[in-house]
Amino acid sequence: MKPVKVGICGLGTVGSGTFNVLHRNAEEISRRAGRRIIVEQIGARRDNPNCNTKGTQVTRDIFDVAKNPEIDVVVELIGGYDVARELVMTAIENGKHVVTANKALIAVHGNEIFEAAQKHNVMVAFEAAVAGGIPVIKAIREGLSANRINWLAGIINGTGNFILTEMREKGRDFADVLAEAQALGYAEADPTFDVEGIDAAHKLTILSSIAFGIPLQFDKAFTEGISKVTPEDVTYAEELGYRIKHLGVSRRTEEGVELRVHPTLIPEAALLANVNGVMNAVLVDGDAVGQTMYYGAGAGAEPTASAVVADVVDVVRTLTADRDNRVPHLAFQPSSLSDAPVLPIEQTETAYYLRMQAQEQPGVLATIAQQLGDQGINIEAIIQKETSEEQVPVIILTQRVQEGKMNAAIAAIEALDAVHGQVTRIRVEQL
Amino acid sequence: MKPVKVGICGLGTVGSGTFNVLHRNAEEISRRAGRRIIVEQIGARRDNPNCNTKGTQVTRDIFDVAKNPEIDVVVELIGGYDVARELVMTAIENGKHVVTANKALIAVHGNEIFEAAQKHNVMVAFEAAVAGGIPVIKAIREGLSANRINWLAGIINGTGNFILTEMREKGRDFADVLAEAQALGYAEADPTFDVEGIDAAHKLTILSSIAFGIPLQFDKAFTEGISKVTPEDVTYAEELGYRIKHLGVSRRTEEGVELRVHPTLIPEAALLANVNGVMNAVLVDGDAVGQTMYYGAGAGAEPTASAVVADVVDVVRTLTADRDNRVPHLAFQPSSLSDAPVLPIEQTETAYYLRMQAQEQPGVLATIAQQLGDQGINIEAIIQKETSEEQVPVIILTQRVQEGKMNAAIAAIEALDAVHGQVTRIRVEQL
């Protein structure tokens, strides 16, 4: 079958990430999509040293891509409102399917764009516009379609979450952390979009519309930034059992829909309170499912590319498969399943927690450690409890090793006179 | 357009939940699906007092449903292996699409069922088979399709997680908590499937296949239960900075795929370590997106029904829409968007954290509280710091109130002689 041809407009962080993911995972992606996906053309004002575009057509005029008769799917990654809008409309009018990561564009011009897409019978996909690599739009729009959604609340700006996390963990103040975030590249030179909540409001506007079925109304969103949050407030909140997060909250009430972005105290035991650093998470409350949460990287080249490419695969699956086989049961085409074997447990690898009862006498620990060493197993930590008994519990945490070797070491330890009964073994994963 | 007709087989916990959700949310669901969905027939050995099936055809022979020429989609909720297999194969051979929540069936007979579905051009959907209401199959199969998945790890049995959570939080032992779980209805009279990890291995087998593109191989999964985890192990793990969770872990290595369910020590700061009680969560590591996590209720009538009905909607959307409009951009059909207004911030409702500088003198707190009381605002907590200064910080946590009333109260408080400067206000959400 003919490959699907993609044109990428914009070769910044996300554009280069998208190009690289499509290349690196080309084989695996085509096994899922049922068809090869190739980058036919790139439209970008300049090259990006992070990706090797040799062999790919590059034009300085992004509108070339939108009009290129060879191209099936236009991926808009230039950002901003006006030119992006014109580009996407041109692509649609030329019969191209569109994938975009542009939250500002969708939040502000989405209603008009979707109408044009319907008229021209093309798909417009925008998973990457909200919460980067987390497939939260798909989750709400498809996975929760049985529910009357009551509310949703999200940490949907990584820069803001990084700043608030640093303020809490290190007692620093806003301006100080912002300067560091700018130096690290987490925050823009003009941080207004991030710290004043405009970026989050774009995303919340989109989430709110798909949750409650209302038209996109970015101009009605209430937005308050985090620049006035002080270290005192962080400390007092903590005394009260809360943490401060910059949340987007949308709630359905009898009178209408609440749509607001602001610093928010949330209980410290809430899972959302423990989403730290640049990570994003969205909590959704539905009448049937209750609360579900979606967590991951909300920005960055490849996390965002993950969502962009997933949208491309969605489009390709729809174009390619017959109606009843759009998504293969096991994600990969039946003819493309892997013959990788499932390994017997002896060949798997983890770290281990071991607990045993040992004689309280000199040299016992060394003897036990020797049995592990004989199998090439390194020890991470040991706890030996003081007791007045003759036998003491010994707890050992090891580094990663193949289970077969651990079996041999445990057999040798259990054979020692100084060790009584069986060794308890629990596997350890650092995740 | 003609409604889509669904037949439900099995009217236990999930069957009644599915019936109730389809009825209660019928209007909202049809606005999303683009078509009405009605329950044409129920096949069940007995009625269920939790749902009112009056007006719906009920048969005692589930095979009547699988052969009923009126029915488009058969929903299999009887559980178990053999009869369920026969029922699903009969439905497929009769040209019905199938939705099932049966993890045992899919893990053991899935390869055969999917082949039959392809041959007969019908869809077989099984989101509810893994992690109840969490749309994790959709997330991996579609949302992460750009990634080479490295590994996944999940808490995918609520009963086991409830037991381990109680053991840790209350220092209780396994047998004691199991008895309570059975009394509460979280655990079956025969708890083997849950506590020995068989149920989790069924689910892990499915997740592993869609992550790595390997055929379903339940017989190769390694399974170790939690019945031997002792309170000492829980305590020692905690001393080392870990918690014990019953995880399903699947990892891709050069030699093959690891597929194992066992008690596992994981770092206490990991988000997964903080998934407690009967809740489920799945953590997935992909090469582009990094780590993403999916959290929610893994069992129960309506959470599981949420996934069952979402699969029905997926089927209906595919049957109904033209190719390019399978899922509406804003989740709801463009003609079915709601005209619910976005509320101005004054009409939204939250609790509040207030911080102000007040004169250190008798009666000031009472005066401040009076201003809140005048607007009908209840106080949840007050912190007043002792200082040697003339002014002291006062922190107040209020109950939920409309923002307009809070604005009035703050204006009144700021007008007090005993309060200096502005009142800092941060909204509070209990989530």
Side-chain angles (χ1 to χ4, degrees):
Chain A
M1 196 178 281
K2 262 198 344 184
V4 170
K5 293 182 178 173
V6 169
I8 296 176
C9 296
L11 203 60
T13 304
V14 180
S16 63
T18 299
F19 182 86
N20 289 337
V21 169
L22 277 171
H23 270 251
R24 188 179 66 235
N25 292 347
E27 188 260 338
E28 188 131 348
I29 290 169
S30 72
R31 285 173 53 212
R32 288 201 179 93
R35 202 155 154 193
R36 278 211 305 142
I37 298 169
I38 60 172
V39 179
E40 172 74 10
Q41 191 178 26
I42 293 170
R45 270 178 308 196
R46 61 186 75 85
D47 295 338
N48 186 323
N50 294 324
C51 60
N52 177 4
T53 58
K54 218 171 123 180
T56 307
Q57 227 186 102
V58 180
T59 167
R60 297 294 168 220
D61 181 358
I62 49 174
F63 286 88
D64 283 354
V65 179
K67 295 172 190 159
N68 184 337
E70 288 294 310
I71 283 177
D72 306 296
V73 184
V74 170
V75 177
E76 182 278 300
L77 301 172
I78 61 170
Y81 300 94
D82 296 340
V83 182
R85 179 188 157 283
E86 202 186 329
L87 176 71
V88 165
M89 294 303 264
T90 305
I92 290 171
E93 282 155 17
N94 281 274
K96 317 296 184 200
H97 305 288
V98 172
V99 173
T100 176
N102 190 333
K103 52 227 70 166
L105 175 74
I106 296 296
V108 174
H109 300 299
N111 298 324
E112 172 195 13
I113 289 169
F114 300 153
E115 208 177 311
Q118 281 217 297
K119 192 172 139 207
H120 292 272
N121 289 312
V122 296
M123 294 174 252
V124 172
F126 52 95
E127 179 66 76
V130 179
I134 311 170
V136 64
I137 289 182
K138 187 171 278 287
I140 299 175
R141 204 161 60 170
E142 306 179 39
L144 302 183
S145 60
N147 290 267
R148 191 173 155 86
I149 309 280
N150 298 313
W151 54 262
L152 58 86
I155 296 172
I156 44 182
N157 181 277
T159 309
N161 202 39
F162 171 80
I163 293 173
L164 289 174
T165 302
E166 287 288 302
M167 286 177 71
R168 185 182 69 81
E169 288 181 355
K170 303 186 183 148
R172 299 166 66 186
D173 72 16
F174 173 81
D176 177 30
V177 185
L178 174 60
E180 188 201 342
Q182 287 171 319
L184 286 171
Y186 292 165
E188 307 282 334
D190 175 0
T192 314
F193 256 54
D194 290 322
V195 304
E196 294 307 334
I198 300 162
D199 173 73
H202 284 143
K203 296 167 182 166
L204 184 68
T205 298
I206 298 171
L207 288 177
S208 179
S209 282
I210 62 172
F212 304 122
I214 56 173
L216 295 154
Q217 295 163 75
F218 170 67
D219 56 326
K220 304 252 176 64
F222 172 82
T223 306
E224 184 179 304
I226 55 170
S227 53
K228 288 181 195 147
V229 175
T230 66
E232 294 98 284
D233 292 322
V234 172
T235 305
Y236 290 134
E238 200 128 11
E239 270 185 52
L240 290 159
Y242 291 83
R243 291 189 185 162
I244 302 180
K245 292 289 182 186
H246 202 193
L247 289 195
V249 178
S250 188
R251 195 161 69 99
R252 184 209 298 259
T253 74
E254 278 182 31
E255 291 75 36
V257 174
E258 299 186 353
L259 190 57
R260 47 191 168 88
V261 174
H262 49 68
T264 315
L265 271 71
I266 58 175
E268 64 190 358
L271 220 47
L272 212 50
N274 294 285
V275 171
N276 292 319
V278 296
M279 301 307 279
N280 279 202
V282 179
L283 182 65
V284 185
D285 187 278
D287 71 339
V289 76
Q291 295 193 358
T292 55
M293 196 182 89
Y294 309 89
Y295 164 90
E302 293 215 354
T304 310
S306 171
V308 169
V309 174
D311 272 350
V312 174
V313 171
D314 249 14
V315 170
V316 173
R317 280 173 165 166
T318 304
L319 295 179
T320 303
D322 64 288
R323 191 192 67 173
D324 300 321
N325 292 295
R326 196 184 60 87
V327 180
H329 295 105
L330 297 180
F332 293 74
Q333 299 296 320
S335 57
S336 299
L337 288 184
S338 153
D339 56 3
V342 173
L343 298 172
I345 191 71
E346 294 73 24
Q347 287 180 40
T348 67
E349 189 187 289
T350 67
Y352 291 86
Y353 158 101
L354 305 175
R355 176 170 60 82
M356 62 205 77
Q357 287 291 109
Q359 206 68 30
E360 170 75 301
Q361 68 187 41
V364 170
L365 276 188
T367 313
I368 293 169
Q370 182 61 44
Q371 310 310 312
L372 293 167
D374 284 352
Q375 297 295 332
I377 302 170
N378 294 316
I379 293 174
E380 186 78 35
I382 294 192
I383 303 181
Q384 188 180 10
K385 288 286 159 184
E386 297 291 322
T387 73
S388 52
E389 314 281 315
E390 272 185 19
Q391 289 177 25
V392 292
V394 173
I395 291 92
I396 299 174
L397 211 59
T398 77
Q399 292 183 355
R400 292 179 74 85
V401 61
Q402 243 193 17
E403 178 120 347
K405 291 187 176 169
M406 180 52 77
N407 290 344
I410 287 176
I413 291 170
E414 287 178 344
L416 294 173
D417 286 340
V419 171
H420 300 266
Q422 288 194 310
V423 174
T424 295
R425 158 236 312 259
I426 306 179
R427 296 170 189 83
V428 180
E429 292 285 356
Q430 299 299 339
L431 303 176
Chain B
M1 197 177 284
K2 263 199 340 185
V4 169
K5 293 181 179 172
V6 170
I8 296 177
C9 296
L11 204 60
T13 305
V14 180
S16 63
T18 299
F19 181 87
N20 290 337
V21 169
L22 278 170
H23 271 250
R24 189 179 69 236
N25 291 347
E27 187 258 338
E28 187 130 349
I29 290 169
S30 72
R31 283 173 54 213
R32 288 200 179 95
R35 200 154 157 194
R36 276 210 308 142
I37 298 170
I38 60 169
V39 178
E40 173 73 9
Q41 191 178 26
I42 293 170
R45 270 179 308 196
R46 61 186 73 85
D47 294 340
N48 186 324
N50 295 324
C51 61
N52 178 4
T53 57
K54 221 172 120 179
T56 306
Q57 228 186 102
V58 179
T59 168
R60 296 294 169 220
D61 181 358
I62 49 174
F63 287 88
D64 283 356
V65 179
K67 295 172 190 161
N68 185 337
E70 287 295 308
I71 285 177
D72 306 296
V73 184
V74 170
V75 178
E76 183 277 301
L77 302 171
I78 61 169
Y81 299 94
D82 295 341
V83 181
R85 178 188 158 282
E86 203 186 328
L87 176 72
V88 165
M89 293 302 266
T90 305
I92 291 171
E93 282 155 16
N94 280 274
K96 316 297 185 201
H97 304 288
V98 172
V99 173
T100 176
N102 189 332
K103 54 227 72 163
L105 176 74
I106 297 296
V108 174
H109 299 299
N111 298 324
E112 173 195 10
I113 290 170
F114 301 152
E115 208 177 310
Q118 281 217 297
K119 192 173 140 205
H120 292 273
N121 289 314
V122 296
M123 292 175 252
V124 172
F126 52 95
E127 179 66 75
V130 180
I134 312 170
V136 65
I137 289 183
K138 188 172 276 289
I140 299 175
R141 205 163 59 171
E142 304 179 40
L144 303 183
S145 60
N147 292 265
R148 191 174 157 86
I149 309 280
N150 298 312
W151 54 262
L152 58 86
I155 295 171
I156 45 183
N157 181 277
T159 309
N161 201 40
F162 172 79
I163 293 173
L164 289 174
T165 302
E166 286 289 301
M167 286 178 71
R168 186 181 70 80
E169 288 181 353
K170 301 181 186 152
R172 299 167 67 187
D173 71 16
F174 173 79
D176 177 32
V177 185
L178 174 60
E180 188 200 342
Q182 287 172 320
L184 285 170
Y186 292 165
E188 307 283 334
D190 175 359
T192 313
F193 256 53
D194 290 323
V195 304
E196 294 305 335
I198 301 162
D199 174 74
H202 284 144
K203 296 167 182 165
L204 183 68
T205 298
I206 298 171
L207 288 177
S208 179
S209 282
I210 62 174
F212 305 121
I214 56 172
L216 295 155
Q217 295 162 78
F218 170 67
D219 56 327
K220 304 252 176 67
F222 172 82
T223 306
E224 184 179 303
I226 56 170
S227 53
K228 288 182 196 147
V229 174
T230 67
E232 295 98 282
D233 292 323
V234 172
T235 306
Y236 290 134
E238 200 128 11
E239 270 186 52
L240 290 159
Y242 291 83
R243 291 190 185 160
I244 301 180
K245 291 289 182 187
H246 201 193
L247 289 196
V249 178
S250 189
R251 196 162 68 99
R252 185 208 298 257
T253 73
E254 277 182 31
E255 292 74 34
V257 173
E258 298 185 355
L259 189 57
R260 47 191 168 88
V261 173
H262 49 68
T264 316
L265 271 73
I266 58 176
E268 65 190 359
L271 219 47
L272 212 50
N274 294 286
V275 171
N276 291 319
V278 297
M279 302 307 278
N280 279 201
V282 179
L283 182 66
V284 185
D285 187 278
D287 70 338
V289 76
Q291 294 192 358
T292 56
M293 195 182 87
Y294 308 89
Y295 163 91
E302 293 214 353
T304 310
S306 170
V308 169
V309 174
D311 272 350
V312 174
V313 172
D314 250 14
V315 170
V316 173
R317 280 172 165 167
T318 304
L319 295 178
T320 303
D322 66 286
R323 192 190 67 173
D324 299 321
N325 292 296
R326 197 184 62 88
V327 180
H329 296 104
L330 297 180
F332 294 74
Q333 299 296 322
S335 57
S336 299
L337 289 183
S338 153
D339 57 1
V342 173
L343 298 172
I345 191 71
E346 293 74 21
Q347 286 178 42
T348 68
E349 190 187 290
T350 66
Y352 291 85
Y353 158 103
L354 305 175
R355 177 170 59 81
M356 62 204 76
Q357 288 290 110
Q359 206 69 30
E360 170 75 299
Q361 69 187 39
V364 169
L365 276 189
T367 313
I368 293 169
Q370 183 61 45
Q371 309 311 312
L372 293 166
D374 285 352
Q375 297 296 330
I377 302 170
N378 294 317
I379 293 174
E380 187 77 34
I382 295 192
I383 302 180
Q384 187 180 9
K385 289 286 161 188
E386 298 290 321
T387 72
S388 52
E389 315 280 314
E390 273 186 22
Q391 290 177 25
V392 291
V394 172
I395 291 92
I396 299 175
L397 211 58
T398 77
Q399 292 182 357
R400 292 180 73 86
V401 60
Q402 241 192 22
E403 178 121 347
K405 290 188 177 169
M406 181 51 77
N407 290 343
I410 287 176
I413 291 170
E414 287 178 343
L416 295 173
D417 285 339
V419 171
H420 300 266
Q422 287 194 310
V423 174
T424 294
R425 159 235 314 255
I426 307 180
R427 296 168 190 85
V428 180
E429 292 285 356
Q430 299 300 337
L431 303 176

